[in-house]
Amino acid sequence: MNRLPFYLFVAALVLVGVALSLYRHSVYGVPWFPGEQREQWEIEARIEFTANGDPAKVAMAIPNDQQNFILTDESSSSQGYGVAILEQKEQRKAEWSIRSAEGQQLIYYKARFLADADAQYQIRPPSKPRPQYLEDVRQTAALSMLQDAMKRSADNPTLARELIRQLNDVQNQNAALLLNSMNREDALVSLLSMEAVPARTVATLMLEDGRRRQSVQPWVQVWDEQKEQWQLFNPRTGAEGKPDNLLIWSLDYQSLLDVIGGRQSDVSFSMIAQDISPETATREKIEANDLLNFSIHSLPVEEQAMFKTIMLIPVGALLVVFLRIIVGLKTSGTFMPVLIAVAFVQTELVPGIIGFLLIVGTGLMIRSYLSRLNLLLVARISAVIIAVIMIISVFTVVAYRVGLLEGLSITFFPMIILSWTIERMSILWEEEGAKEVFVQGGGSLLTAVLVYLAMTSELVRHLTFNFVGLQLIILALILLLGNYTGYRLSELRRFRHLAQD
């Protein structure tokens, strides 16, 4: 058989993959290595609400330049809505409007921020706040707390620090009295206003790569008169200062989203980190509209975060093909180790291995009992699936009750795959014996660990996500390995006596 067309096809896959990767690197400035270039965060706000059928207007507070972050680009996607960016004193707002809307509505707002420790941003000194007076009993408790905090503080930030300490003290009766009728951040702002200290509750986002459906968290800004800048406090933990990965989305936590003409409104945030070249760091990122720029960066951020894991699966498939065809490692199922490795990415390696062994071991004992009942295949598999679900539920509850929070991640395991694995291993035990079960089970676990190590490599994650052409190269390698008909490395031990001779 003429193999020339096959090798030409493989060569074409490699050339196209390399060309696409080089094009992405040279034209669009995507780096070869993670951390080599400037870091950029892409954050997407997803607004959902149910319209009443009347004119609708949606206003959402949007961020601006701030400490550690420079706003480089922003865009909106809203079917049929008019959109405007309103520049107000310190707080910017995006406003969407439509003459008539009915039913479920969906609006996207996307912003890109360049991480820059030397970011320049405008600071406007606040005016003196109006003191907030409380009811008699709470007013007395507030004054008592202020009196104690004033003795232990020297300026506005230290006063806020002492008040947070009192609010977080479960033994403090005055703090408990205030927190019965208001949340912690509102109580702190109210207490500071009684001493004419400017303070406000801001909506913040903790930036983590690949996170989806996140909500804003309230922090409190306190004006430092000596440094003439806002000092940030976490009212729940007492942490002071702005972490490098904390973004202030809105300067008014209460009015983050306002909807007129709708109900059941909600806003969630998805985020993803990208590395960009220095040339593109200070200007709007080039939007790719031609076919040569195969990029998933144009998708919504929530889908991008999902694809960041999906694009790693071909790497796992390549490793499995190499270990089975070249090394000769036996596994239970062809690509079951890849799916188990994906679960390990969610659970971490050690808790994942322990959970896998517990589930499979317990499942094999239950399956051995089912084999005595002489059930049909469909009924037996269904019973195993239910047993696996019960095992995972029991282990999760037990882990939670004993304080092992890592055990909660056991729910990420693919239940159907585990059920078939238990079924295959049980049949293998009956036909080949326990040794073969341990050989294939151990091979599957070893393969899953190796695939996990590859998937968690920062270099691999960066290349697979940013260079779609790499998938064509992986496909070409798999096709080449599929044509290998020689001896496996594990089989060479059969001929070791020839080497001795």
Side-chain angles (χ1 to χ4, degrees):
M1 180 179 177
N2 186 9
R3 307 293 293 173
L4 181 60
F6 169 75
Y7 290 116
L8 289 177
F9 176 66
V10 171
L13 287 176
V14 174
L15 289 176
V16 173
V18 171
L20 286 174
S21 300
L22 290 175
Y23 188 82
R24 289 280 295 161
H25 175 71
S26 60
V27 176
Y28 295 100
V30 180
W32 294 117
F33 300 98
E36 176 185 325
Q37 307 291 338
R38 302 285 296 278
E39 184 182 50
Q40 180 178 256
W41 285 94
E42 187 169 337
I43 306 168
E44 182 181 76
R46 174 190 173 105
I47 304 172
E48 297 177 90
F49 69 97
T50 302
N52 298 330
D54 301 321
K57 186 165 66 173
V58 179
M60 183 183 69
I62 56 177
N64 205 345
D65 295 343
Q66 56 190 272
Q67 182 182 353
N68 298 331
F69 294 102
I70 297 176
L71 178 65
T72 58
D73 183 37
E74 58 185 342
S75 59
S76 172
S77 175
S78 53
Q79 186 67 31
Y81 282 80
V83 60
I85 303 298
L86 306 179
E87 300 287 347
Q88 301 174 352
K89 293 181 181 179
E90 286 186 289
Q91 181 63 66
R92 303 168 66 244
K93 284 188 177 252
E95 188 174 273
W96 295 269
S97 58
I98 191 170
R99 180 62 61 178
S100 177
E102 186 173 5
Q104 191 69 20
Q105 303 293 305
L106 188 61
I107 297 175
Y108 287 101
Y109 169 82
K110 184 184 295 185
R112 292 193 182 101
F113 283 92
L114 176 66
D116 189 349
D118 300 322
Q120 300 294 322
Y121 55 98
Q122 187 176 10
I123 300 177
R124 297 184 179 180
S127 57
K128 292 291 183 180
R130 293 181 179 178
Q132 299 183 22
Y133 297 101
L134 307 174
E135 299 174 0
D136 293 340
V137 178
R138 291 189 297 155
Q139 181 77 7
T140 303
L143 293 176
S144 177
M145 292 177 63
L146 279 171
Q147 184 179 6
D148 183 64
M150 289 293 291
K151 296 177 181 178
R152 302 171 183 269
S153 61
D155 50 21
N156 293 351
T158 54
L159 176 61
R161 188 188 309 151
E162 288 299 318
L163 290 174
I164 292 175
R165 182 186 61 80
Q166 293 187 52
L167 290 172
N168 290 331
D169 184 4
V170 295
Q171 304 297 329
N172 193 311
Q173 296 182 355
N174 292 324
L177 184 61
L178 288 180
L179 296 179
N180 281 337
S181 57
M182 63 178 66
N183 54 45
R184 189 170 275 102
E185 54 272 10
D186 289 341
L188 177 60
V189 173
S190 298
L191 288 169
L192 290 172
S193 70
M194 294 179 182
E195 289 295 327
V197 175
R200 60 191 180 190
T201 303
V202 297
T204 66
L205 280 174
M206 190 64 71
L207 301 183
E208 297 181 44
D209 188 21
R211 297 302 297 267
R212 299 184 293 166
R213 298 297 180 96
Q214 300 298 297
S215 57
V216 293
Q217 299 297 324
W219 285 49
V220 174
Q221 278 188 330
V222 179
W223 179 252
D224 188 344
E225 293 181 341
Q226 297 179 354
K227 297 181 180 180
E228 295 188 346
Q229 64 181 18
W230 290 100
Q231 190 70 16
L232 200 60
F233 290 88
N234 186 339
R236 295 171 300 280
T237 65
E240 181 179 354
K242 186 174 184 292
D244 292 338
N245 62 334
L246 186 75
L247 176 74
I248 298 177
W249 186 269
S250 170
L251 298 178
D252 188 352
Y253 180 76
Q254 302 298 333
S255 62
L256 172 65
L257 178 66
D258 298 315
V259 177
I260 300 176
R263 62 186 187 279
Q264 297 177 344
S265 60
D266 182 55
V267 58
S268 60
F269 299 86
S270 301
M271 58 202 70
I272 195 167
Q274 301 172 355
D275 290 323
I276 58 175
S277 65
E279 290 77 15
T280 58
T282 55
R283 69 176 185 269
E284 180 179 348
K285 185 180 178 181
I286 299 175
E287 292 293 339
N289 296 322
D290 56 290
L291 293 177
L292 287 178
N293 184 31
F294 288 102
S295 172
I296 60 178
H297 292 151
S298 58
L299 295 174
V301 177
E302 184 175 352
E303 278 68 30
Q304 290 186 45
M306 176 181 63
F307 268 102
K308 200 157 194 176
T309 300
I310 292 177
M311 300 297 279
L312 293 170
I313 293 180
V315 176
L318 176 62
L319 262 176
V320 170
V321 171
F322 176 79
L323 291 174
R324 286 179 63 96
I325 295 178
I326 304 299
V327 179
L329 195 64
K330 294 183 179 181
T331 62
S332 178
T334 307
F335 292 105
M336 182 274 287
V338 178
L339 298 177
I340 298 300
V342 173
F344 285 170
V345 172
Q346 304 293 332
T347 64
E348 298 297 335
L349 185 58
V350 175
I353 292 176
I354 295 174
F356 175 78
L357 294 176
L358 287 174
I359 295 172
V360 173
T362 308
L364 283 175
M365 290 188 291
I366 296 175
R367 172 60 177 78
S368 65
Y369 170 74
L370 294 175
S371 63
R372 301 176 186 176
L373 303 179
N374 296 323
L375 300 176
L376 295 176
L377 177 62
V378 175
R380 189 170 64 241
I381 285 294
S382 301
V384 172
I385 291 174
I386 296 174
V388 168
I389 293 175
M390 293 178 62
I391 293 169
I392 292 177
S393 302
V394 170
F395 287 161
T396 302
V397 172
V398 171
Y400 176 75
R401 295 299 296 270
V402 300
L404 297 176
L405 299 182
E406 294 82 359
L408 300 180
S409 59
I410 199 174
T411 54
F412 286 106
F413 278 107
M415 299 178 186
I416 305 300
I417 299 300
L418 286 178
S419 302
W420 274 106
T421 300
I422 293 171
E423 176 69 16
R424 289 170 59 91
M425 286 187 175
S426 180
I427 295 175
L428 188 65
W429 193 307
E430 296 172 355
E431 295 178 352
E432 303 291 339
K435 179 181 178 182
E436 190 64 22
V437 171
F438 284 107
V439 169
Q440 292 194 16
S444 300
L445 190 58
L446 176 61
T447 304
V449 171
L450 294 177
V451 173
Y452 164 82
L453 295 176
M455 286 184 169
T456 53
S457 168
E458 286 297 326
L459 178 60
V460 173
R461 292 174 65 89
H462 171 79
L463 292 176
T464 54
F465 180 69
N466 291 284
F467 297 96
V468 71
L470 184 63
Q471 309 297 329
L472 299 178
I473 299 175
I474 293 175
L475 175 60
L477 292 175
I478 290 177
L479 293 177
L480 287 176
L481 290 174
N483 277 265
Y484 178 74
T485 57
Y487 288 108
R488 297 177 175 86
L489 295 178
S490 60
E491 295 175 332
L492 295 179
R493 61 182 180 180
R494 294 164 49 191
F495 307 100
R496 60 181 182 271
H497 63 280
L498 296 178
Q500 295 174 357
D501 294 340

